[in-house]
Amino acid sequence: MFKALRRLHGQNLESRGLHDMTEAFQSFVTRARFFSIGKLRRTWSHSAAEFIKYRRLLPMLLADGEAFDGGETDDFDASIAFQHASRDDKKIVVSNISSRVTQSQLQSFFSQYGKITSCILPREEKKTSVFGTLPKHSRNCGTATITFKKAEHAERAKAASPEELKFYDQVMVVSAYVSKKRGGKGLVLSDDIGSREDTPLSRASSTQSLASGSEQQFNIAGMPDKVLKRVISFLPIHETIRLERVNKKFMEESIKSWELVNHVILARETAFSKQRPMRTSHLQAILSRAGVHLRSLDLSGVVHLLDDRRALKVIATCCPNLVELDISGTHAQAEALEELGESLTHLEQLSYRGMETTGDKAFYFLLKNCGHSLKFVDLRNAKRLHGRSFRLFGSQLESLYLDGSSKIDEMAFEDLCTSCGGLKELRINECYKITDENLSMIARRMEDLSILTLCGDGFKHLTPAGLIHISHMKNITELALDYNTLVNDEILISISAGLPLLSSLSLANAGDDSSITAEGVSAVRNLKELTQLDVSSLAAVNSKVMQQLSILKKLEILQLRNCTYLGDEGVRAMLKMPNLRHVDLSGSILVSNDSIQEFIKAFPSGPKLPPITLVVGGTAADASKLSVRGSRVVVDFSDYSTIVAMQTSQSSGSKFAIGSASDGEDCSDDEFEALTAQRSFYIDAVCGRRRFTYHRRRKAC
C-alpha cells in the first residue's frame, strides 16, 4: 500500500497535479508506520483521516485509462465497516413514545431485555408565549435511541411483540439503528466486490466534481417524478419551499407535493423560534401553496408576530376547505373573525384556547356563520366569555371544552341544553356559575352525554342535592369531580348505583374528611366496568377499603397519591386485580418494601404480557432492597405527591395525568403553604397527634 501511494505521489509531482502534497504525504507515511507496519490499525487517527483524503483523490492522481486496484485498501475499509457494524448492532431506535414517558421510565422499561449502557430521549425545544397559554415544560420528541451492552439484547428487543411494547396506552415501535456516518467522511463502504470491478476508477475530467467518490453515488435527479414528490412531502415546510430554487424539475415536484399535505402544525416547524418568529409573510407563503389542499391547520404554540387581521384574511382566502382549525393565541377584532367564519363553510372542529382578553362579541362573530356545523369546540380559559354565542351551536355539536371559562352564566347553559341535545362530551371545570337547575336540565336534555368533568372548588351556586342529578345520566362512561368540595357519601353511592356504564372515575382531592368516608369510597365496587380510578388524597382510603375494591377485575389504572392511611395490606389486596397496568402510590407513607416486593413477584414476565408501572416515590420503599428480575413490573421512584393544584389546561380531563409538567419547578407561596399543611397532616397521621388534640378538645368542653 505504501509503494502504491509513493508511486501515485510521484506521478502527481511529474504531471504537476492539483497540489504539492510532499509534506502532507510524508506526515501520513510517518504516522501510518508508527501505528502499524504494513497495515493500518483499526482506529480513527489523524493518519486514517489523511488516508481517506488520499483515497478520494486517487481517481485524479491516476493517469488516463489506468485503473486502481481497490483491494489495496480493503483492510482499512473492512476495519471501518466492522467497527460501525458492531457498534450499531447494539443500538435500537424506539418511536411512537408517549409524551408522558420520561427517560428513566423508558430505560427501566427496556431493561427487561438486557443491560442498557445509554438511553437518549430528546425533548422538544422550549417555547414561550406572551399569552401564557403554553406548558412550562417541553415534551419528549417521541423517538429515543437505546444502546445495549450486548447485540443479542438489542435483537431481543427488536423481536418483542406489540403487546410487550405497549406503554401508557401506546404501542412503541422498535427498529434497527442506522448510523448517519457509514465508512467515514462522505465515504460509503460496500462489500460488493463485483460493483468495484464494473466501475473501475480512472482519472476524472475537469468537468467532474472533486467530491465524486470511489463508489457509484445515488442520483436523486434520476428519481421518478411520483417518488420524488412523495419524498418531498415528508420534508419540513421551509425545506420544501427552498427546493423550488434547485431546478425546474424540483420546483414542479415541490409544488405538486403540497397535494399530499392535508395537516399542518406550525408549532413543530423548527424554522420559527424566539429569534425568528413567524410573520404574516411566512404564513402567506405557506398557505398560498398548501391552503387549497389543507384539511387541518394548527397555529397554536408557534412563536409569531402576526398582523392578526391580515393573518386571518390569508387563512380565509387560501384555505376554503378547512375542516379543523386551531387559532389559539391569535388575537383579532370581531370583524376579522366574522370574515373568517363566513369563508370556512366546511369547518367541523374549532379551537380558540387561552383567549383571556377576548370578549363575548368576538366569539359571537366567529361562530355566527359556522357554529351550526361544528362538531368539536375548544374554548378553554376564555375568561371574558359569557356564553351568548352558545345559541349559535347546532345539534351536530358533540364535544365542548369550557375549562376555566368562569364567567359562563346560567343562561348560557340553558341555551346549550336547548340547541345541543346531541352533545356527547362536556368539560366545564371551574365554570363556577352553573346551578342545580342547569345540571338537572343537562341530565334531562343531553341523553347521549358520555363524558362529563366538573372539577373545581368554587361552585357557589351548586349544592350536593344538585350534584346528585349526575346519577341520572345513564350513558356516562367518564366522570371527573376532582377538587369538588360538594362530593359526599350520598353522591358516591348514587353514582355507583345509577351509572352502570362508568369506566373512568376521578375523585382526587374531592370533598373533605367528614363528607367522604370509607362507606362512600367502598360503594365504588359496584361499578363493574370501571377501568380507571383516581382517589388521591382521600383520607377515607385505607387497607380495608382497598380489600373491598379488589373485586374490580377490569381496573387498569389506579391512582392512590397521598393516601396516608393506606398500608401494606391494601397493596396486597391489589394482587387480585389481574388487569392492572399503572398504580401510583406516591406519598402513601405507610407502604413499605414488603408489600411492594410481593406486588412485583405476583406479576411475572411473559411473552405477551404488558408491563405494569408501579410508582413508589414518597413511600417507605428502599430502592436498594427491591428486585424486579423476572417480573413485568416497572418500578418508578418519582414522587408525584406534591401535585396539589388542579390543571385545567390538560387536553383530556378524563384521562388521568401520570406525572406532571410542573415536576421540579419551584412552588409559589400558596403552593408552599399547601405543602406545609399536607406535611403536617402526614405527621399527625403517623404520630397520632390529631387524635390527641381531639381528646383535649373534648376535655376542655
Short mmCIF file of all heavy atoms in Angstrom, two decimals, residues 27-60:
data_model
loop_
_atom_site.label_atom_id
_atom_site.label_comp_id
_atom_site.label_asym_id
_atom_site.label_seq_id
_atom_site.Cartn_x
_atom_site.Cartn_y
_atom_site.Cartn_z
N SER A 27 4.08 13.18 6.26
CA SER A 27 3.44 13.12 7.58
C SER A 27 2.52 11.91 7.68
O SER A 27 2.48 11.22 8.69
CB SER A 27 2.66 14.41 7.83
OG SER A 27 1.96 14.32 9.06
N PHE A 28 1.78 11.65 6.59
CA PHE A 28 0.87 10.49 6.58
C PHE A 28 1.64 9.18 6.70
O PHE A 28 1.29 8.30 7.48
CB PHE A 28 0.05 10.53 5.30
CG PHE A 28 -0.60 9.21 4.97
CD1 PHE A 28 -1.64 8.71 5.74
CD2 PHE A 28 -0.17 8.46 3.89
CE1 PHE A 28 -2.23 7.51 5.45
CE2 PHE A 28 -0.75 7.25 3.60
CZ PHE A 28 -1.78 6.77 4.38
N VAL A 29 2.73 9.02 5.95
CA VAL A 29 3.51 7.79 5.98
C VAL A 29 4.12 7.57 7.35
O VAL A 29 4.13 6.46 7.89
CB VAL A 29 4.60 7.83 4.88
CG1 VAL A 29 5.53 6.63 5.02
CG2 VAL A 29 3.96 7.82 3.50
N THR A 30 4.62 8.64 7.97
CA THR A 30 5.22 8.52 9.30
C THR A 30 4.20 8.05 10.33
O THR A 30 4.46 7.13 11.11
CB THR A 30 5.80 9.87 9.73
OG1 THR A 30 6.75 10.30 8.77
CG2 THR A 30 6.48 9.76 11.10
N ARG A 31 3.03 8.65 10.32
CA ARG A 31 2.00 8.26 11.28
C ARG A 31 1.51 6.84 11.03
O ARG A 31 1.22 6.09 11.96
CB ARG A 31 0.83 9.24 11.23
CG ARG A 31 1.15 10.61 11.83
CD ARG A 31 -0.09 11.49 11.85
NE ARG A 31 0.16 12.75 12.54
CZ ARG A 31 0.65 13.82 11.96
NH1 ARG A 31 0.93 13.80 10.67
NH2 ARG A 31 0.87 14.94 12.66
N ALA A 32 1.34 6.48 9.77
CA ALA A 32 0.87 5.14 9.43
C ALA A 32 1.85 4.08 9.90
O ALA A 32 1.47 3.05 10.45
CB ALA A 32 0.65 5.03 7.93
N ARG A 33 3.17 4.31 9.71
CA ARG A 33 4.17 3.34 10.16
C ARG A 33 4.23 3.27 11.68
O ARG A 33 4.55 2.22 12.25
CB ARG A 33 5.54 3.72 9.59
CG ARG A 33 5.67 3.40 8.11
CD ARG A 33 7.03 3.77 7.59
NE ARG A 33 7.22 3.32 6.21
CZ ARG A 33 8.28 3.61 5.47
NH1 ARG A 33 9.24 4.39 5.96
NH2 ARG A 33 8.37 3.15 4.24
N PHE A 34 3.98 4.39 12.34
CA PHE A 34 4.02 4.39 13.80
C PHE A 34 2.91 3.51 14.38
O PHE A 34 3.11 2.78 15.35
CB PHE A 34 3.88 5.82 14.33
CG PHE A 34 3.79 5.89 15.82
CD1 PHE A 34 4.92 5.75 16.62
CD2 PHE A 34 2.56 6.08 16.44
CE1 PHE A 34 4.82 5.82 17.99
CE2 PHE A 34 2.47 6.14 17.82
CZ PHE A 34 3.61 6.01 18.60
N PHE A 35 1.72 3.57 13.78
CA PHE A 35 0.59 2.79 14.30
C PHE A 35 0.68 1.32 13.93
O PHE A 35 0.31 0.46 14.68
CB PHE A 35 -0.74 3.37 13.80
CG PHE A 35 -1.16 4.62 14.51
CD1 PHE A 35 -1.09 5.84 13.88
CD2 PHE A 35 -1.59 4.57 15.81
CE1 PHE A 35 -1.46 6.99 14.54
CE2 PHE A 35 -1.96 5.71 16.48
CZ PHE A 35 -1.89 6.93 15.85
N SER A 36 1.16 1.00 12.73
CA SER A 36 1.22 -0.40 12.30
C SER A 36 2.18 -0.51 11.12
O SER A 36 2.29 0.42 10.32
CB SER A 36 -0.16 -0.90 11.90
OG SER A 36 -0.08 -2.23 11.48
N ILE A 37 2.85 -1.62 11.02
CA ILE A 37 3.80 -1.84 9.93
C ILE A 37 3.12 -2.70 8.88
O ILE A 37 2.76 -3.85 9.13
CB ILE A 37 5.08 -2.54 10.44
CG1 ILE A 37 5.76 -1.66 11.48
CG2 ILE A 37 6.02 -2.85 9.28
CD1 ILE A 37 6.98 -2.27 12.10
N GLY A 38 2.94 -2.15 7.69
CA GLY A 38 2.36 -2.89 6.58
C GLY A 38 0.86 -2.83 6.51
O GLY A 38 0.27 -3.12 5.49
N LYS A 39 0.20 -2.46 7.58
CA LYS A 39 -1.27 -2.41 7.58
C LYS A 39 -1.72 -1.37 8.61
O LYS A 39 -1.12 -1.25 9.67
CB LYS A 39 -1.85 -3.76 7.97
CG LYS A 39 -3.37 -3.81 7.92
CD LYS A 39 -3.91 -5.06 8.55
CE LYS A 39 -3.47 -6.30 7.84
NZ LYS A 39 -4.10 -7.52 8.41
N LEU A 40 -2.76 -0.62 8.28
CA LEU A 40 -3.28 0.37 9.22
C LEU A 40 -4.10 -0.33 10.31
O LEU A 40 -4.86 -1.25 10.03
CB LEU A 40 -4.17 1.38 8.50
CG LEU A 40 -3.45 2.43 7.66
CD1 LEU A 40 -4.46 3.30 6.96
CD2 LEU A 40 -2.54 3.28 8.51
N ARG A 41 -3.89 0.10 11.55
CA ARG A 41 -4.68 -0.44 12.65
C ARG A 41 -6.10 0.14 12.58
O ARG A 41 -6.32 1.22 12.06
CB ARG A 41 -4.03 -0.07 13.98
CG ARG A 41 -4.74 -0.66 15.20
CD ARG A 41 -3.99 -0.36 16.47
NE ARG A 41 -2.67 -1.02 16.47
CZ ARG A 41 -1.80 -0.92 17.45
NH1 ARG A 41 -2.08 -0.17 18.49
NH2 ARG A 41 -0.64 -1.55 17.38
N ARG A 42 -7.08 -0.61 13.13
CA ARG A 42 -8.47 -0.14 13.12
C ARG A 42 -8.65 0.94 14.17
O ARG A 42 -9.05 0.68 15.30
CB ARG A 42 -9.41 -1.30 13.41
CG ARG A 42 -9.37 -2.37 12.33
CD ARG A 42 -10.11 -3.60 12.77
NE ARG A 42 -10.05 -4.64 11.75
CZ ARG A 42 -10.47 -5.87 11.92
NH1 ARG A 42 -11.00 -6.22 13.08
NH2 ARG A 42 -10.38 -6.76 10.96
N THR A 43 -8.38 2.17 13.79
CA THR A 43 -8.51 3.28 14.72
C THR A 43 -8.81 4.54 13.94
O THR A 43 -8.42 4.69 12.78
CB THR A 43 -7.23 3.46 15.55
OG1 THR A 43 -7.41 4.57 16.41
CG2 THR A 43 -6.03 3.72 14.67
N TRP A 44 -9.50 5.47 14.61
CA TRP A 44 -9.77 6.78 14.00
C TRP A 44 -8.63 7.72 14.41
O TRP A 44 -8.70 8.39 15.42
CB TRP A 44 -11.12 7.32 14.46
CG TRP A 44 -12.26 6.66 13.79
CD1 TRP A 44 -13.12 5.74 14.32
CD2 TRP A 44 -12.66 6.84 12.43
NE1 TRP A 44 -14.02 5.33 13.40
CE2 TRP A 44 -13.78 5.98 12.23
CE3 TRP A 44 -12.21 7.60 11.37
CZ2 TRP A 44 -14.44 5.90 11.00
CZ3 TRP A 44 -12.87 7.52 10.15
CH2 TRP A 44 -13.95 6.68 9.97
N SER A 45 -7.60 7.75 13.64
CA SER A 45 -6.45 8.60 13.92
C SER A 45 -6.31 9.65 12.84
O SER A 45 -7.03 9.66 11.84
CB SER A 45 -5.18 7.75 13.98
OG SER A 45 -4.96 7.13 12.72
N HIS A 46 -5.34 10.55 13.05
CA HIS A 46 -5.10 11.58 12.04
C HIS A 46 -4.63 10.94 10.74
O HIS A 46 -4.99 11.38 9.65
CB HIS A 46 -4.06 12.57 12.56
CG HIS A 46 -3.73 13.66 11.58
ND1 HIS A 46 -4.59 14.70 11.33
CD2 HIS A 46 -2.63 13.86 10.79
CE1 HIS A 46 -4.06 15.51 10.43
NE2 HIS A 46 -2.86 15.02 10.09
N SER A 47 -3.86 9.85 10.87
CA SER A 47 -3.39 9.16 9.66
C SER A 47 -4.55 8.56 8.89
O SER A 47 -4.55 8.55 7.66
CB SER A 47 -2.38 8.07 10.04
OG SER A 47 -3.01 7.13 10.90
N ALA A 48 -5.57 8.05 9.60
CA ALA A 48 -6.72 7.49 8.91
C ALA A 48 -7.47 8.57 8.14
O ALA A 48 -7.91 8.35 7.00
CB ALA A 48 -7.66 6.83 9.92
N ALA A 49 -7.60 9.75 8.74
CA ALA A 49 -8.26 10.85 8.03
C ALA A 49 -7.46 11.27 6.80
O ALA A 49 -8.02 11.54 5.74
CB ALA A 49 -8.44 12.03 8.98
N GLU A 50 -6.12 11.32 6.93
CA GLU A 50 -5.28 11.65 5.78
C GLU A 50 -5.41 10.59 4.69
O GLU A 50 -5.45 10.89 3.50
CB GLU A 50 -3.81 11.76 6.23
CG GLU A 50 -3.52 12.95 7.11
CD GLU A 50 -3.59 14.24 6.31
OE1 GLU A 50 -3.31 14.22 5.10
OE2 GLU A 50 -3.95 15.27 6.90
N PHE A 51 -5.52 9.31 5.13
CA PHE A 51 -5.65 8.24 4.15
C PHE A 51 -6.95 8.37 3.36
O PHE A 51 -6.97 8.16 2.15
CB PHE A 51 -5.59 6.89 4.86
CG PHE A 51 -5.82 5.72 3.94
CD1 PHE A 51 -4.83 5.30 3.08
CD2 PHE A 51 -7.04 5.08 3.92
CE1 PHE A 51 -5.05 4.24 2.23
CE2 PHE A 51 -7.26 4.02 3.07
CZ PHE A 51 -6.26 3.60 2.22
N ILE A 52 -8.04 8.73 4.07
CA ILE A 52 -9.32 8.91 3.37
C ILE A 52 -9.21 10.04 2.35
O ILE A 52 -9.77 9.97 1.26
CB ILE A 52 -10.43 9.17 4.40
CG1 ILE A 52 -10.68 7.91 5.22
CG2 ILE A 52 -11.72 9.59 3.72
CD1 ILE A 52 -11.69 8.10 6.32
N LYS A 53 -8.46 11.09 2.71
CA LYS A 53 -8.29 12.20 1.77
C LYS A 53 -7.57 11.74 0.51
O LYS A 53 -7.97 12.06 -0.60
CB LYS A 53 -7.53 13.33 2.45
CG LYS A 53 -7.35 14.56 1.57
CD LYS A 53 -6.71 15.69 2.32
CE LYS A 53 -5.25 15.36 2.58
NZ LYS A 53 -4.54 16.49 3.22
N TYR A 54 -6.52 10.94 0.70
CA TYR A 54 -5.81 10.41 -0.46
C TYR A 54 -6.70 9.47 -1.25
O TYR A 54 -6.67 9.44 -2.49
CB TYR A 54 -4.55 9.67 -0.01
CG TYR A 54 -3.34 10.57 0.12
CD1 TYR A 54 -3.14 11.31 1.28
CD2 TYR A 54 -2.42 10.70 -0.92
CE1 TYR A 54 -2.04 12.14 1.41
CE2 TYR A 54 -1.33 11.53 -0.79
CZ TYR A 54 -1.14 12.25 0.37
OH TYR A 54 -0.06 13.08 0.48
N ARG A 55 -7.49 8.68 -0.53
CA ARG A 55 -8.35 7.70 -1.20
C ARG A 55 -9.35 8.40 -2.13
O ARG A 55 -9.62 7.93 -3.23
CB ARG A 55 -9.10 6.90 -0.14
CG ARG A 55 -10.24 6.04 -0.66
CD ARG A 55 -9.74 4.78 -1.34
NE ARG A 55 -10.86 4.01 -1.87
CZ ARG A 55 -11.49 3.07 -1.17
NH1 ARG A 55 -11.11 2.80 0.04
NH2 ARG A 55 -12.49 2.40 -1.72
N ARG A 56 -9.86 9.53 -1.73
CA ARG A 56 -10.85 10.24 -2.55
C ARG A 56 -10.19 10.97 -3.71
O ARG A 56 -10.86 11.30 -4.68
CB ARG A 56 -11.62 11.23 -1.68
CG ARG A 56 -12.43 10.55 -0.59
CD ARG A 56 -13.38 11.49 0.07
NE ARG A 56 -14.38 11.96 -0.89
CZ ARG A 56 -15.37 12.78 -0.59
NH1 ARG A 56 -15.47 13.24 0.64
NH2 ARG A 56 -16.23 13.18 -1.49
N LEU A 57 -8.88 11.24 -3.62
CA LEU A 57 -8.18 11.92 -4.72
C LEU A 57 -7.54 10.94 -5.69
O LEU A 57 -6.92 11.37 -6.67
CB LEU A 57 -7.10 12.85 -4.15
CG LEU A 57 -7.62 14.07 -3.38
CD1 LEU A 57 -6.46 14.83 -2.78
CD2 LEU A 57 -8.42 14.97 -4.28
N LEU A 58 -7.65 9.64 -5.43
CA LEU A 58 -6.99 8.66 -6.28
C LEU A 58 -7.42 8.74 -7.75
O LEU A 58 -6.58 8.64 -8.64
CB LEU A 58 -7.25 7.25 -5.75
CG LEU A 58 -6.51 6.89 -4.45
CD1 LEU A 58 -6.84 5.48 -4.04
CD2 LEU A 58 -5.02 7.07 -4.59
N PRO A 59 -8.72 8.93 -8.06
CA PRO A 59 -9.09 9.00 -9.49
C PRO A 59 -8.42 10.14 -10.23
O PRO A 59 -8.17 10.03 -11.42
CB PRO A 59 -10.61 9.20 -9.43
CG PRO A 59 -11.01 8.68 -8.11
CD PRO A 59 -9.88 8.99 -7.19
N MET A 60 -8.09 11.23 -9.55
CA MET A 60 -7.46 12.35 -10.23
C MET A 60 -5.96 12.20 -10.33
O MET A 60 -5.31 12.84 -11.16
CB MET A 60 -7.79 13.65 -9.48
CG MET A 60 -9.26 13.92 -9.39
SD MET A 60 -9.58 15.37 -8.44
CE MET A 60 -11.10 14.90 -7.70
#
